[in-house]
């Protein structure tokens, strides 16, 4: 948080402040209304909600460590760290890409890999394979987050960005918590492995459905295309 605060302080920009909108019920719900009408923003936010809701595995790692992989507390710590390792490596690599291309297809490909890594992890009984799956899980999620958050920011006009970002933040935080709840509930009813496996398969299915339902996103090449498609 200290680094984030410092980074914000050193940003230099001349911002043109406009007169804020009057606070009305319509203004309060303006973010939801804009998201519903803008297919790029709607697709980016909703697929994150569904993918994390159905594909969350972090809440069930203790059961894998103790009962399935039998690696104990030390193994649990390593497994819990691997998605972060994958995210860090992918994040560093993304910083080297100046003008990313094939943004739309890459988003859906990363989500497909995300779901596939969950399927592999769910059925793995080999510790090192599980670690690889979790690393790929984190790396694929990093690509997805990078593209989705950028799309939401670029496709949203200045006067709506705060309200849309608020809705997006609620969606992200709620989907993580609800994803753990969904995983635990399914594990209690179906068993741990079937719960994670079905979540991975459902994530793959959701990715295919969203690929079909949001052609505007899948046709995006570079980020510069976003403004053109939202006019």
């Amino acid at each position: 948080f200290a680094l984030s605060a410092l980074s914000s302080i050193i940003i230099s920009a001349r911002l043109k402040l406009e007169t804020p909108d009057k606070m009305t019920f319509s203004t309060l719900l303006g973010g939801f209304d804009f998201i519903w009408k803008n297919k790029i923003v709607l697709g980016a936010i909703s697929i994150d909600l569904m993918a994390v809701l159905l594909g969350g595995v972090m809440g069930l790692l203790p059961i894998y460590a103790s009962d399935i992989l039998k690696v104990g507390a030390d193994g649990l710590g390593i497994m819990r760290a691997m998605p972060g390792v994958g995210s860090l490596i992918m994040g560093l690599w993304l910083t080297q890409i100046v003008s990313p291309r094939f943004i739309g297809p890459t988003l859906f490909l990363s989500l497909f890999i995300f779901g596939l890594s969950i399927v592999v992890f769910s059925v793995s009984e080999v510790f090192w394979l599980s670690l690889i799956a979790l690393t790929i899980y984190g790396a694929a999620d990093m690509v997805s987050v990078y593209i989705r958050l950028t799309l939401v920011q670029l496709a949203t006009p200045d006067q709506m960005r705060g309200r849309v970002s608020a809705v997006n933040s609620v969606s992200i935080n709620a989907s993580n918590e609800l994803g753990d709840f969904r995983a635990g509930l399914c594990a209690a009813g179906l068993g741990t492995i079937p719960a994670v496996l079905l979540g991975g398969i459902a994530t793959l299915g959701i990715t295919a459905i969203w690929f079909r339902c949001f052609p505007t996103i899948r046709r995006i090449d570079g980020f510069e295309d976003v403004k053109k498609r939202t006019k």
Side-chain angles (χ1 to χ4, degrees), residues 109-125:
L109 178 61
S110 67
L111 288 166
F112 178 82
I113 294 174
F114 178 79
L116 192 60
S117 69
I118 296 172
V119 172
V120 173
F121 175 78
S122 69
V123 298
S124 171
E125 295 183 357

Side-chain angles (χ1 to χ4, degrees), residues 93-104 106 143 146-147 150 154 220-225:
W93 183 69
L94 289 173
T95 64
Q96 304 304 307
I97 303 177
V98 179
S99 300
R101 298 287 308 277
F102 312 112
I103 297 300
T106 300
V143 176
Y146 162 69
I147 295 176
T150 306
L154 292 178
I220 294 175
D221 184 12
F223 285 127
E224 64 276 1
D225 291 346

Side-chain angles (χ1 to χ4, degrees), residues 35-89:
I35 290 170
W36 181 255
K37 293 178 179 178
N38 188 301
K39 298 307 179 184
I40 291 179
V41 178
L42 176 62
I45 292 179
S46 60
I47 198 169
D48 170 71
L49 175 65
M50 297 304 298
V52 177
L53 176 64
L54 297 172
V57 300
M58 294 297 104
L60 297 180
L61 288 185
I63 303 178
Y64 271 88
S66 62
D67 299 341
I68 298 173
L69 298 173
K70 302 184 186 303
V71 292
D74 290 341
L76 172 60
I78 296 173
M79 285 197 295
R80 189 64 185 85
M82 295 316 293
V85 172
S87 297
L88 177 60
I89 294 173

Side-chain angles (χ1 to χ4, degrees), residues 47 108 202-213:
I47 198 169
F108 290 106
T203 301
L204 294 174
I206 287 295
T207 301
I209 293 172
W210 259 243
F211 182 84
R212 177 73 176 177
C213 294

Side-chain angles (χ1 to χ4, degrees), residues 4 97 112 121 133 176 184 190 214:
S4 298
I97 303 177
F112 178 82
F121 175 78
N176 281 291
L190 303 174
F214 292 92

Side-chain angles (χ1 to χ4, degrees), residues 1-11:
F1 284 108
L3 289 174
S4 298
L6 179 61
S7 299
S8 299
I9 291 172
I10 63 177
I11 292 176

